[in-house]
Amino acid sequence: MTDDRTKPIGVLLIDDEIAYVNVLSNRLSKRGFDVGKANSGSEAFQILRQRSFDVAVLDLKMADMDGIEVLKILKKMAPEIVVIMLSGHGSAKATHDAIRHGAYDYLTKPYELDELIKKIVDAYENRPTL
């Protein structure tokens, strides 16, 4: 997906469910997003050292590192990145923690792809300019 420039929105997917990340990556790529994939927090940090992204879609529960911890590090590494948290275990506390630590928005699994795309575009259009 692109705005009035020709550069597509860069989206980094971070989730330890490999099949889910691959399917979501394909679906977003077909809709014009420039997608990067990471299956752990540490892999996401390595990818961010190599290139930048506009939006990160980050799972709350992962094997190697809690999503809130990943969020904190992402915001230090790339303050300009806008983060949307995903969880299959939605709770008011998790939502509050994510927003308090810099997440732009929060989405509970399962969700409709169009809903995620709308959140990504909204996040991109409302990202801070540093």
Side-chain angles (χ1 to χ4, degrees):
M1 173 137 314
T2 60
D3 60 358
D4 41 39
R5 300 174 305 152
T6 57
K7 178 183 171 278
I9 298 173
V11 179
L12 178 58
L13 303 176
I14 310 165
D15 195 314
D16 60 355
E17 294 179 40
I18 296 169
Y20 166 78
V21 169
N22 289 335
V23 168
L24 184 55
S25 173
N26 289 339
R27 294 180 79 187
L28 291 174
S29 293
K30 287 180 181 176
R31 286 163 177 81
F33 292 92
D34 177 19
V35 182
K37 301 182 291 185
N39 298 120
S40 68
S42 56
E43 186 178 357
F45 307 144
Q46 290 173 0
I47 291 169
L48 271 178
R49 286 185 189 102
Q50 298 168 9
R51 66 172 281 211
S52 62
F53 291 89
D54 302 304
V55 178
V57 178
L58 170 61
D59 190 35
L60 184 63
K61 299 287 182 192
M62 294 185 292
D64 76 326
M65 191 179 290
D66 178 79
I68 298 295
E69 291 303 313
V70 175
L71 170 64
K72 291 177 187 177
I73 295 168
L74 284 178
K75 295 305 282 182
K76 287 180 183 173
M77 287 181 71
E80 72 284 355
I81 199 166
V82 185
V83 180
I84 298 168
M85 298 296 294
L86 294 180
S87 178
H89 316 284
S91 74
K93 180 184 180 333
T95 302
H96 180 263
D97 285 350
I99 300 300
R100 185 168 54 93
H101 290 293
Y104 175 78
D105 208 341
Y106 192 91
L107 194 58
T108 303
K109 296 177 186 175
Y111 54 85
E112 294 293 324
L113 181 62
D114 288 343
E115 184 179 7
L116 176 60
I117 289 172
K118 182 182 182 321
K119 286 191 183 283
I120 290 170
V121 172
D122 286 348
Y124 176 78
E125 290 174 349
N126 292 298
R127 72 193 185 284
T129 52
L130 301 179

